[in-house]
Amino acid sequence: MDSPPSPPPHPIPLSPKPPLTPPQIVQTVISVLTSDKPSLASLSPLIPHLTPPLLHSILSSETLASRPLTLLSFFTWARSHLNPTQTLIPSLLALLSSLFSHNKFPDAKSLLLNFISSDRGHHLHRTLLLPARPHPSKALLDTAVGAYCQFGNPQLAVLIFKKMKRLRLQPKLLTCITLLNSLVKYPSSNRVLLCKDVFNDAVMLGVTPNTNMFNILINGYCLENRFKDALELLSKMGEYECLPDRVTYNTILDALSKKGQLSEVRDLLADMKDRGLLPNRNTYNILVCGYCRMGWLREAAQVIELMTQNNLLPDVWTYNMLINGFCHDGRIEEALKLRDEMENLKLLPDVVTFNTLINGCYKSKNSSNAFKLIAEMKEKGVEPNVVTHNIIIKSYCKEAKMDEASISVRKMVERGFSPDSVTYNTLIDGYCKIGNFGEAFKIMNEMGGRGLKMDIVTLNSFLHTLCRERKIEEAYELLSSVSKRGYIVDEVSYGTLIMGYFEDGNVDRAMKLWDEMKAKAIIPSVVTYNSLIGGLCKSGKMEQAITKLNELLENGLVPDETTYNTIIRGYCWGGYVEKAFQFHNKMVENSFKPGIFTCNILLHGLCKEGMLEKALTLFNTWISKGRVLDAVTYNTLITAQCREGRLEDALGLVVEMEVKKLGPDGYTYNVIIGALIEAGRNKEAEELMEKRAEMGKSSDPSLPLDKGRDMVTCEILEKSDSSSLAYSEQICKLCSEGKYRGAMRIFGELTQKGVAIDKSTYITLMKGLVKRRKPITKAV
């Protein structure tokens, strides 16, 4: 029986005199390896004379042909003394041949993986693809496909698979599944096309596909939102005598629900039941997730009831989805009750539960509850994770509290968590929003320096910055070029630019970009449609907006509250209040559930058109129905009443606001004080101003943020002189030529001298980082 050699306590002395000839060296090694107790250490004196050709002769020896594991040990020992790697390929192939002939497939694959890991230049891969004879064996090529996939190089595996096709060698079913799975996960724009080719080639070579192969390809289509192709493939499974399983259906159901195509979800669910496949917990969870995404919380709760009726108890994931739905809808108290309900069912809330609730509290501007939940996590032994820290950092960035965000990052590191791409992208976006491009650039460069590649989120954030700075054409040029650098451009990228063109008043370019997105088979979601519809409404193109709404419906998407509110607001902007109400009533008939935002839009529309009495009637109707009203509702009516000289009525509403603890706020005070002064009631106006000062009310809540932004800009302008402007121009010129290192050298010199550059130059440097997807300088 073949067993690997083990070194004896004392090596066998070899002192050949005179020096051995190559045939003698080969024979000596063979003698040692075939001895009862072979010792590799005893071969050490031969190392200076052991060349790759001699190694190949030994491994090809007929004497050792029946000892594959001995040869493997010898090759491993010899390889540690011989360089470079590529010279050992003939020996490797000889050894692999021996291993395969003795059915040592795991050892062969392990050897291949080990060799590939050190073969930086892919010399083995090129050797396997050479047309030289004899051709590599089927076993070698088949194993090599799996090895390259396991090593994360499916694109190299495909080329070997193509060689198998040329040689008409049938791959194993497992090899095909491994290759398809690896390709689907690989970040490439043509991954599904390659998967389809591999699938067809495998069938042509005689491989009988199974359900798993179909499921992988269907998942690939779903990842690219190609639902029609996924459904067609589902229908073709029967042609190959394959039956779809729950994984097949759940994959498509999940993808459709994430895009809000709930009518297709219902049809597919019915088809699933017709085939005798009962939904499992995963199926129900997908439905809960889909309904929650659309804000249909009642329907989501009904799904949970249905689960229970079918003897499937909801799990932590189910509750987490429902809690997320309530948090997204701003219904934090109900979300917290669900957490209590979980505990009653002996389901322990996990870190996702707490993160969802904490995020919901921050979104609702209830930071005190968020801090309580963080403390509760520790009490219950639920450790915060990177996501927890990122939520806190994001909340500070949203409020433009960048100093607090930076402190949170430091605390995150102190607690043993490394900032990830989400952390950096959040900070970059936060600094860009307040106009501090110098700090944004620093963070962006540091991100790459820590080995984190800039991803589509970084790109989209920067595209948004360019659009906000009215650099729309630069944004478009960047969008058009980045796909060559590994970015997979998505609907958010296009949606950002479409909105940029609308904001710039360029409706034609916005629509052209929309058509370009559709031509690239990038399927827009409800969010992207909302951006387009909103842009058309603001441009006064209501007919086109309605056309796009119908297109949204035809594509199986479900409009959300934003969609309807955008159309209603568009009508109100255009002075078509009656049409706004007609559309509102029609949508209510179609199960639309208007919220306070919708009510405020309609109320503002009536007041804007001077229909104060109708506005008051609507307001009183809402109160009688128990509708929740907010400060905006009252401020809208107060403003309208003051405009029409009905000051006493307005003051009555201010009192009502106070009773309901909805205000008054800075806006209310400004309106009332202005109306009192206009009415000649200066003493009352002064008293109200004093009251506002005592309460610490700001006349403009956004002032601190604007002031901060102006201070950043002013600081740059104050330090910018003619020489710094010249340097800025030089930096921009070098960047345009792709000479980013030269640009960074000048930037470094300026920084050391304390000379500031303008924000446009920072944006140019940031653009360079995004294009390169790596830092220009090493992280400190």
Side-chain angles (χ1 to χ4, degrees):
M1 182 177 176
D2 180 26
S3 59
S6 56
H10 301 288
I12 300 170
L14 284 176
S15 46
K17 294 181 180 181
L20 297 176
T21 63
Q24 289 174 322
I25 292 172
V26 170
Q27 192 54 49
T28 302
V29 172
I30 291 173
S31 298
V32 169
L33 295 180
T34 54
S35 63
D36 292 335
K37 292 184 178 180
S39 168
L40 295 175
S42 67
L43 299 173
S44 297
L46 295 179
I47 290 172
H49 312 288
L50 196 61
T51 62
L54 285 180
L55 179 63
H56 182 252
S57 297
I58 294 163
L59 293 169
S60 304
S61 166
E62 290 185 11
T63 308
L64 294 170
S66 61
R67 297 171 176 259
L69 295 183
T70 300
L71 290 176
L72 179 59
S73 297
F74 173 66
F75 177 79
T76 304
W77 172 82
R79 188 181 161 202
S80 64
H81 300 289
L82 294 174
N83 281 307
T85 299
Q86 61 263 34
T87 60
L88 303 180
I89 289 175
S91 302
L92 171 74
L93 295 177
L95 175 56
L96 286 169
S97 178
S98 176
L99 289 169
F100 286 129
S101 65
H102 288 84
N103 295 320
K104 303 292 183 182
F105 292 101
D107 294 298
K109 187 170 183 180
S110 178
L111 174 62
L112 262 177
L113 281 170
N114 185 271
F115 194 90
I116 289 169
S117 67
S118 60
D119 186 18
R120 306 291 183 191
H122 303 308
H123 300 288
L124 173 62
H125 187 263
R126 283 199 289 273
T127 301
L128 293 175
L129 294 180
L130 287 173
R133 292 179 182 276
H135 294 299
S137 67
K138 172 185 169 180
L140 172 56
L141 293 176
D142 206 81
T143 307
V145 169
Y148 279 108
C149 285
Q150 190 170 332
F151 207 72
N153 287 316
Q155 74 279 23
L156 299 182
V158 166
L159 295 175
I160 297 173
F161 183 85
K162 291 292 182 184
K163 177 159 186 174
M164 293 186 76
K165 177 191 172 185
R166 289 194 297 274
L167 298 176
R168 299 194 174 280
L169 298 174
Q170 185 186 109
K172 293 178 183 176
L173 177 62
L174 181 59
T175 303
C176 298
I177 291 171
T178 302
L179 180 54
L180 286 171
N181 207 27
S182 187
L183 282 170
V184 161
K185 293 175 182 176
Y186 193 69
S188 169
S189 56
N190 64 339
R191 57 185 174 183
V192 175
L193 182 63
L194 286 172
C195 281
K196 192 176 178 181
D197 287 344
V198 167
F199 183 92
N200 292 335
D201 289 344
V203 172
M204 186 270 291
L205 291 169
V207 175
T208 303
N210 65 359
T211 301
N212 197 3
M213 281 180 71
F214 277 99
N215 287 347
I216 294 168
L217 193 50
I218 284 170
N219 183 42
Y221 282 130
C222 288
L223 287 172
E224 294 191 357
N225 300 321
R226 294 168 61 178
F227 305 126
K228 186 178 178 182
D229 292 323
L231 291 168
E232 282 181 4
L233 198 59
L234 170 66
S235 64
K236 286 181 180 178
M237 289 179 72
E239 296 175 15
Y240 296 88
E241 297 182 358
C242 281
L243 293 175
D245 56 13
R246 288 190 183 91
V247 174
T248 319
Y249 279 98
N250 286 346
T251 300
I252 306 175
L253 285 168
D254 185 44
L256 288 170
S257 68
K258 282 177 179 175
K259 285 293 176 181
Q261 298 189 25
L262 297 184
S263 57
E264 280 77 2
V265 166
R266 291 192 192 97
D267 293 342
L268 195 61
L269 196 60
D271 182 54
M272 180 181 181
K273 290 177 179 176
D274 289 343
R275 289 179 183 264
L277 286 171
L278 293 176
N280 58 9
R281 182 181 283 109
N282 194 26
T283 315
Y284 285 117
N285 282 344
I286 287 166
L287 293 174
V288 170
C289 181
Y291 284 130
C292 286
R293 282 175 184 274
M294 298 307 302
W296 296 6
L297 301 178
R298 186 186 300 171
E299 288 79 2
Q302 287 171 353
V303 171
I304 293 178
E305 287 177 17
L306 192 61
M307 285 178 74
T308 310
Q309 290 169 15
N310 286 287
N311 298 318
L312 286 170
L313 290 176
D315 56 13
V316 174
W317 197 91
T318 320
Y319 271 101
N320 284 346
M321 284 298 100
L322 196 54
I323 288 170
N324 184 60
F326 278 105
C327 287
H328 184 73
D329 205 40
R331 295 157 67 176
I332 303 299
E333 293 304 320
E334 289 169 85
L336 289 167
K337 285 178 183 176
L338 281 171
R339 187 269 313 265
D340 297 336
E341 189 179 303
M342 283 176 70
E343 293 178 339
N344 292 336
L345 291 172
K346 307 301 181 187
L347 291 172
L348 295 177
D350 60 10
V351 68
V352 176
T353 318
F354 280 103
N355 285 345
T356 305
L357 288 166
I358 292 165
N359 192 41
C361 288
Y362 278 126
K363 277 187 175 180
S364 300
K365 297 182 180 179
N366 192 341
S367 54
S368 59
N369 259 355
F371 288 124
K372 285 178 185 176
L373 285 164
I374 293 168
E376 190 180 321
M377 281 180 80
K378 294 176 183 176
E379 289 173 13
K380 295 191 173 179
V382 180
E383 287 295 322
N385 59 10
V386 174
V387 177
T388 319
H389 290 284
N390 282 341
I391 289 168
I392 297 168
I393 292 163
K394 185 179 179 181
S395 71
Y396 284 128
C397 288
K398 273 191 170 182
E399 295 178 11
K401 296 178 179 178
M402 297 311 298
D403 289 341
E404 287 89 339
S406 297
I407 292 167
S408 294
V409 173
R410 285 200 295 273
K411 286 181 179 177
M412 176 182 182
V413 174
E414 287 168 6
R415 288 166 185 168
F417 296 100
S418 297
D420 59 10
S421 295
V422 176
T423 320
Y424 282 105
N425 286 333
T426 303
L427 290 170
I428 291 164
D429 191 55
Y431 280 117
C432 283
K433 279 180 179 174
I434 65 168
N436 192 341
F437 296 107
E439 199 62 32
F441 170 71
K442 178 184 171 185
I443 297 292
M444 195 179 278
N445 202 36
E446 183 184 323
M447 176 185 181
R450 292 186 181 274
L452 295 168
K453 274 192 175 181
M454 292 171 203
D455 55 18
I456 188 63
V457 179
T458 322
L459 171 66
N460 289 341
S461 178
F462 188 61
L463 287 173
H464 191 263
T465 298
L466 288 173
C467 291
R468 192 167 53 240
E469 292 295 316
R470 301 292 184 187
K471 296 177 181 288
I472 315 295
E473 294 307 322
E474 281 189 41
Y476 179 73
E477 179 269 325
L478 182 63
L479 179 68
S480 303
S481 65
V482 291
S483 57
K484 298 173 185 175
R485 295 176 172 86
Y487 292 96
I488 300 175
V489 178
D490 61 10
E491 57 168 327
V492 178
S493 316
Y494 275 95
T496 301
L497 255 72
I498 287 167
M499 280 306 299
Y501 278 123
F502 274 124
E503 292 290 336
D504 207 38
N506 199 334
V507 178
D508 291 339
R509 284 299 299 273
M511 298 308 297
K512 185 179 178 182
L513 199 61
W514 174 266
D515 293 336
E516 183 182 312
M517 179 183 72
K518 300 286 284 292
K520 289 187 176 180
I522 298 174
I523 299 175
S525 67
V526 172
V527 175
T528 315
Y529 266 106
N530 287 346
S531 298
L532 183 72
I533 290 168
L536 290 168
C537 288
K538 281 185 179 180
S539 304
K541 298 183 180 294
M542 290 306 300
E543 287 187 12
Q544 283 183 256
I546 296 296
T547 300
K548 291 303 171 187
L549 173 62
N550 292 331
E551 184 183 300
L552 180 156
L553 295 165
E554 287 166 7
N555 289 337
L557 296 171
V558 181
D560 59 14
E561 188 177 353
T562 303
T563 320
Y564 293 129
N565 285 340
T566 302
I567 300 275
I568 292 168
R569 184 165 52 185
Y571 278 128
C572 289
W573 273 336
Y576 306 112
V577 182
E578 289 185 10
K579 283 190 177 181
F581 272 94
Q582 287 169 7
F583 182 81
H584 166 268
N585 296 337
K586 186 179 177 182
M587 294 307 103
V588 169
E589 291 171 11
N590 292 330
S591 301
F592 170 52
K593 301 163 187 174
I596 184 62
F597 195 64
T598 316
C599 298
N600 287 339
I601 292 169
L602 290 168
L603 195 71
H604 184 268
L606 288 170
C607 292
K608 182 188 169 193
E609 294 303 311
M611 302 178 186
L612 181 55
E613 291 306 321
K614 286 187 177 181
L616 288 167
T617 302
L618 185 65
F619 173 75
N620 291 324
T621 302
W622 292 339
I623 290 176
S624 65
K625 289 183 177 180
R627 288 269 182 92
V628 177
L629 305 177
D630 62 9
V632 176
T633 319
Y634 279 93
N635 284 338
T636 302
L637 276 178
I638 290 167
T639 303
Q641 287 176 329
C642 287
R643 192 185 298 124
E644 294 200 7
R646 295 168 61 169
L647 189 51
E648 295 306 321
D649 291 340
L651 289 168
L653 285 177
V654 173
V655 173
E656 198 174 308
M657 280 182 85
E658 287 182 298
V659 171
K660 292 183 177 180
K661 296 182 179 180
L662 294 173
D665 58 17
Y667 182 89
T668 323
Y669 277 113
N670 283 347
V671 171
I672 295 294
I673 290 168
L676 286 169
I677 292 170
E678 192 174 332
R681 296 161 67 170
N682 295 337
K683 188 177 180 181
E684 291 175 71
E686 286 175 13
E687 289 173 356
L688 203 57
M689 280 192 275
E690 288 175 8
K691 184 179 179 182
R692 182 183 65 178
E694 289 170 9
M695 294 177 69
K697 298 289 182 182
S698 171
S699 59
D700 185 356
S702 66
L703 185 61
L705 177 59
D706 292 340
K707 185 177 178 183
R709 188 181 294 114
D710 290 342
M711 285 174 68
V712 172
T713 309
C714 289
E715 186 181 347
I716 291 171
L717 290 175
E718 284 171 8
K719 290 186 179 180
S720 295
D721 53 22
S722 58
S723 62
S724 68
L725 289 173
Y727 282 124
S728 293
E729 287 177 10
Q730 192 176 354
I731 288 171
C732 290
K733 183 175 182 295
L734 288 169
C735 287
S736 67
E737 295 170 355
K739 298 175 181 177
Y740 295 108
R741 291 193 181 280
M744 274 305 298
R745 181 180 55 77
I746 295 171
F747 171 71
E749 291 171 2
L750 291 175
T751 304
Q752 287 179 353
K753 293 176 183 177
V755 178
I757 59 173
D758 59 29
K759 67 178 180 180
S760 181
T761 310
Y762 274 120
I763 290 172
T764 302
L765 284 168
M766 289 162 71
K767 184 178 175 183
L769 285 179
V770 171
K771 279 190 172 184
R772 289 163 61 90
R773 298 188 81 194
K774 59 184 179 181
I776 299 171
T777 56
K778 291 181 181 178
V780 179

